[in-house]
Every structure is written in C-alpha cells, then in structure tokens.
Amino acid sequence: MQDPSTASPPGHANASRVLASACPLDCPDTCSLDVTVTDGRVVKLEGTRINPLTDGFICSKVRRFPRHLYGDERLRYPMFRRGAKGAQNDATDAFERLSWDDAMELLTRRLTETRDLHGGEAILPLFYGGSNGYLTQGATDTRLFRRLGSSRLAQTVCAAPSTAAATGLYGKMLGVAIEDFVHSRLIIVWGANPSASSIHLVPIIHEARRRGAKLVVVDPRRTPLAKKADLHLALRPGTDLPVALSLIRWFFESGEADLDFLANHTTGADELQRRAQPWTFDRAAEVAGVDASDLATLGRLYADTEPAVIRCGWGPERNRNGGSAIAAILALPAVAGKFGVRGGGYTMSNTGGWKLDPEELAGTPEPATREINMNKVGETLLRGEPPVKLLFVYNCNPLMTLPEQEKVRAGLEREDLFTVVFDQVMTDTARYGDLVLPATTFLEHHELRKGYGATVLAQTRPVIEPVGEARPNYRVFGDLCHRLGLLREDESHAPAALIDGLLEQSGRADELRDTLDDSGMAYPEIGPTPVQFVDFLPNTADGKGHLVPEDLDREAPDGLYAFQPDPATRRAPLALISPANHRTVSSTFGQLHRQQVPVELHPDDAAARGLKSGDDVRVWNASGEVRCRLRISRDLRPGVAMLPKGIWSHNTQNGATSCALVPDTLTDFAGGACFNDARVDVERA
Ligand SMILES: Nc1nc2c(c(=O)[nH]1)N[C@H]1C(S)=C(S)[C@@H](COP(=O)(O)OP(=O)(O)OC[C@H]3O[C@@H](n4cnc5c(=O)[nH]c(N)nc54)[C@H](O)[C@@H]3O)O[C@H]1N2
Ligand SMILES: Nc1nc2c(c(=O)[nH]1)N[C@H]1C(S)=C(S)[C@@H](COP(=O)(O)OP(=O)(O)OC[C@H]3O[C@@H](n4cnc5c(=O)[nH]c(N)nc54)[C@H](O)[C@@H]3O)O[C@H]1N2
Ligand SMILES: [Mo]
C-alpha cells in the first residue's frame, strides 16, 4: 500500500496504484480501505486492517463503488430543468447542461432575490446523512446558511431521540468498544440488525459465542442473528418500553438490582423504580405480544451473567415511545450492575469520543430564525408560513427518506418553489430539482470523519480526479459565500484549513496531525477500547448516570417512561416496519438496484386476506399507497409487514415507497421520526 501523500497526483495516468482511504458512509463501521486506481480510474476497493474492526473485509455495497462512480446515473455537470418536475424521462431530455459559472451565477441571483423579496426564512437547507464527514457538512454550508439568515433544520430523521436519551442519562459517554464484545458472556442485540447495518460486529458475536457467550435478540423479525440466538423476543414494534421497564421492575422486586452501584453512580433510581412498578412481566408480555416466561428467562439470564452487553440499535427509537424506550434500555445496565468490567455495559452510538464541532468553524452564531423539523418537510413545503421559496437539498434524498412522501412530493411539485439538488447521482429527489449540481464522492475529495461504531477519526484524500465536473461540498458552499459577499478575508474553505481548524479543537492537534498523516486514522486519547465506569464516568455535570433526567421528563408527554399505546386502527391494523437492507445505505446506491422489491407479510396475515406469495398488492393507509408484489415470510411476527428503507421509486409498481405510509408524528422527545408507527392494510391490487 502506498501513502496517497507521496503517490503520484490523482489523475496521473499510469499503471495501477493502491491508495489508502476510509468509508464515510452512514454506517457505524468506518472501514479502512485500499483503493486500486488504474489509469486514473478506480477499479477495486478492499478492506484493510488500519481500522482493526474492518479486519480486511468490507460490504458488497462499497466493493461495488466503481458502479456508483461511473454509472449512467452519475451526475457529471450542472443542469437546469426544462421538462416537468419529477419527470422520469431520461435526464438528458428533462435537463439542460450549464457551465459551473452560469450555474453559480444563477444560484447566487436566486438566493439573493429570495432573501430580498421573501426574507431569509424562505430559504430552507435540507441535508442529512449522505456523508458522515466533517468537511461535507457542518462548516461551510452552515456558514453560508447562517449568514443568509435561512430557516434552520432540526436534523431529526435518525438518532435524535436516542442521542437525547444517551445524553440525558450518561452525557453521551462512549459505549463498549465493538472489539470488546468478544469478552462478553451475554450479548443482547436489541433492535439492531448488524448483519445488514454494521457487518463487522457479526463475526465478533460468533467468536464470543464460540467462547461460550449467550445471545439474545429483541426484534419483531427473525433477523439472521435471531435465527441463531439462545432467545429471540419477537416483540410488537414500539413495545420496547414496557419490556425494558418490566425487566427493571423485576430487578428491584427480586433483590437483583445493584443498589450499591445505583447509590454511588446514579441519581433517580427510586423514581425509575416507581415508574417501572406497573409493568409486571405479565402486563408487559401482553402489550408486547411475547411470552411472560421469556421475559422472566431474560431477566434471570441478565442477572446471572457477567460480563453482559446490550447492543442497542435504532429500531426501538423509530416510534411514538422511541425516546423513553431507548432511555429504559440504557438504564438496564445501571440497574443490573453490568458496568465496570470489560465487555459489560452498553453500546449505542460511539461518537462521544470526539468533541470536534464543524459549526465552530462557521464563524457566525446560530441565528434565531425559525426551525423546521425535517420530519415535517412535506407539511412545511405545502403549508409553511412564511412559504419556503428556495429549497437547497444536499447530502440527502428526502423524497425517498422522509415521512409523508406524498406531501413531500406535492411540495416538490410546487411551480413557485425553486429547488436545488446537489448530489452525486440522479436521485428521485433530483428529478424534482430546478437546478441540479454534481457532487464528488469521498474518493474525489478530502474528508475527515469520526466513526459511530468504531471510535476512529479518519482522514482521507482524493484518490482520483473528479468524474466529469463534480465538485466537493466545501468548494461549492465556499464559492457561494464568496460570490454572495459573505466570506470574511481571513476565512478559508480550503480542506487543509478546515481540517486544521477541527484538529485544533481537540487540544492535541499536532499529535493527531502526525498520526493521521501517518496512518489515516486516530483514536480518542482514552484509547480504542476503554471500559465504561472504569476508564471514564458519564459526561454529566456530577459524573453520575441520571436515570430520570429532568429535561427529558419535562419534554415527554405524560413524562419520561409513560407508554403511548399502539396507533393501529381497524382499517390499518398491520404495523409496517422499514429497516435497513443490505443493498443500500439509506437510499444511497439505490440507482444500482432496479428489481421490484416486495412487501413481506406473515403467512397468517396473508391467509386472512386470501393472499399468496407473488400476488400484486396494495399496501395502504390514509397517507398513501404502495403497489408492489407480496412475499410471505415466516421471519416476521404476525401483525407486522415489512418494506425495507432505502428503496427508490423504480423498485415499486407505483413509484411510492414505505415513506408514503409513514406519518409525520414525532417521538416522545427530541422530535424524532416514527417510521415504524406506519399502520397499514394490505389487499389484492
Ligand atoms: N446496509 C445498510 N447499513 C446501514 C444502513 C442501511 O440503510 N443499510 N443505515 C445506516 C443507518 S442511517 C443507521 S441509523 C443504522 C441503523 O441500523 P439498525 O440499528 O440495525 O436499524 P434498523 O435497520 O432501522 O432496525 C434494526 C432492527 O430493528 C427492528 N425493529 C423495528 N422496529 C422495532 C421495535 O419497535 N423494537 C425493536 N426492538 N426492534 C425493532 C428491525 O426489524 C431491524 O431488524 O444502520 C446504518 N447502516
Ligand atoms: N421508511 C424509512 N425511511 C427512513 C428510515 C427508516 O427506518 N424507514 N431511516 C432513516 C434513516 S436512519 C436515515 S439516516 C435517513 C437517511 O436519509 P438521507 O439523508 O436522505 O440519506 P441517503 O438516502 O443515503 O441519501 C444521501 C444522499 O446524499 C448524497 N451524497 C453523499 N455524499 C455527498 C456529498 O459529499 N455531497 C453531496 N452534495 N451529496 C452527497 C448521496 O448520493 C445520496 O443521494 O433515512 C431515513 N429514512
Ligand atoms: Mo440513520
């Protein structure tokens, strides 16, 4: 392997070279990569061991990255719309090519006019998880939109309630390192499906089991790990809260709670016990649709086994009880006394090790303009006051990933809305763009990212010249600031300056710079595998875990840990879940998979509707309908349907996806998305 800093410059057409990189996609693993470049083109991506978690292998999605780079759907130059918004015709018919100079001039004019005529709040930036890098989001874009006085975006589509819960309870302390799961004797995979969403955890779990560990999976589906588990709790979606509270209650009632730990390291244990009191195993089992005896088995196993770790995923947060559910799950290791040993505790998001804030580089404080919850973008585009007149979409594909898809679609169809879509490929959203701008990928620009499973910080450089005329976000947002006269003389949007600015915040910039220049990856000062409550305490003011944090308690309707019942109705009795699939990362790479995707249903639910596998069906509720094939699956529990997240309009018969059935209601706190509160019925089409 060759260090990119000493390699011949990107684009230099010569024989094959292997250059180091790291994946910035929205996935916990942050794989370290070797990229083979032949004659200026990427021909192969492989995993390395620089991030030991990668262990030399990567997912099939990123192995096929050359198809994303060079495929027909790749955006190669700026384009202006000529045809109808949303037209599915060939991109070359619907759009006219522009030079970057003309595109930037047009955009500068539209931004200025919109602000002058309608006020800054008529501009809405819309962005999320396309790249998890500090250079593609947070610094230069924030600088631009703050100085324009645009509406602000609450980034709530994922992880908002879980982050609020982890912050409220433990100050978002680091989790158990993924590598340390091998030391666990009991692994509880709670609402996560690492076989699709973070594949490097899977062999570690298998190794732990070879060493004698037990595996429990809490998931409405029989996931690949659930099929191998010692216990699978196939609960109803949205019922994690009563299940976790019933375990908490049992620990207190049976004398298994770790009262010493609770007294020394937490506050709020008595109040938590009081709130868990109504949830006997029988009552929780009835609400969750599981056997009370399985809850008792899990309680006993968790009490008796050490080290025990909970891998809490994002499945439990995506419903009306999501915030309280995550809080209750994260409270369990405190109640059961599972912290303080290697391989014991919990893991959720592991970003707590890095306190770098790109927004500090924006150089302008957050204005007091209106804040739009991104789960309500459809509603805002249709009925927001003042109306949104200019929508600037980047790092996301909102038509395929936000709730109330038909509202989002109707909003994007507004002829008086000017939509900019800045993306790498012609997404379903980009088809509604008035101005479409081509973005580089991580193999064509500089990046610095932190992992959220692996605790690494990764720095990467371009390994090829941009495809076509694609440009990095930092350049486009920086140039826009400059053209609009919003850039101060001492400010730079050069990647080196941005990286320097971020590393300075760490208090160990020189050391980090050396390490990153050397290997491309660095760990927090505390090291790669610190132990919870041994090597560090919660990042709360008093260093304790707060089991009933006041702010969350105030925000939640009826208070923290209050259960909201199932939203099913007679007309919409089935719970539709839409978890991650193994072909896409959210909707990224969806252009590469054109086959029809079926909705899945349990055999009993299909039989009750006279349906069989292969039938054309209509999945519907008051928000919309999806027309697709039916697949009968014994891996779902009765009452649950599944249509994965991340699919595109070409994957169904009518162009609608699960988001068309998802309400824009919010989680109990932090304004999170309730994807798994979609309630539907299925009938023959
Ligand atoms: N291949 C791939 N990898 C990804 C992604 C991707 O789209 N594809 N997405 C990335 C992103 S953005 C994220 S946030 C993570 C998400 O990764 P995960 O945490 O794995 O989240 P999900 O896939 O949403 O759901 C996980 C599991 O929760 C189950 N589930 C659904 N509802 C409930 C519930 O109410 N309770 C419980 N206990 N379980 C429930 C689902 O059946 C699913 O098996 O993965 C990241 N990695
Ligand atoms: N039904 C349903 N929907 C869901 C979920 C669910 O559980 N169910 N889960 C949700 C979750 S967990 C998440 S995180 C969201 C994610 O939703 P989004 O944030 O919309 O993520 P993606 O669909 O991956 O779209 C990211 C886009 O950014 C582009 N991109 C990548 N890098 C760059 C860059 O450097 N510059 C620019 N300009 N563009 C770039 C990619 O090409 C891609 O088109 O989806 C949510 N949607
Ligand atoms: Mo996510």
Side-chain angles (χ1 to χ4, degrees), residues 26 128 157-159 314 318 452 586 645:
D26 194 342
Y128 196 73
V157 74
C158 171
W314 288 266
R318 309 196 201 286
Y452 67 93
S586 295
K645 87 159 163 171

Side-chain angles (χ1 to χ4, degrees), residues 23 25-28 59-65 67-68 129-130 193-199 397 400-401 425 427-428 452 578-595 597 643-651 657-658:
C23 183
L25 291 174
D26 194 342
C27 164
C59 67
S60 58
K61 303 178 290 297
V62 174
R63 266 208 318 273
R64 295 192 200 111
F65 206 81
R67 292 167 58 197
H68 183 73
N193 179 23
S195 306
S197 61
S198 52
I199 59 172
N397 183 11
M400 288 302 121
T401 53
V425 295
T427 60
D428 284 303
Y452 67 93
S578 44
N581 77 80
H582 68 279
R583 293 194 186 91
T584 61
V585 181
S586 295
S587 77
T588 299
F589 305 129
Q591 80 279 13
L592 303 175
H593 301 282
R594 306 198 72 91
Q595 74 285 20
V597 174
L643 193 57
K645 87 159 163 171
I647 63 177
W648 283 32
S649 61
H650 55 231
N651 297 124
T657 67
S658 53

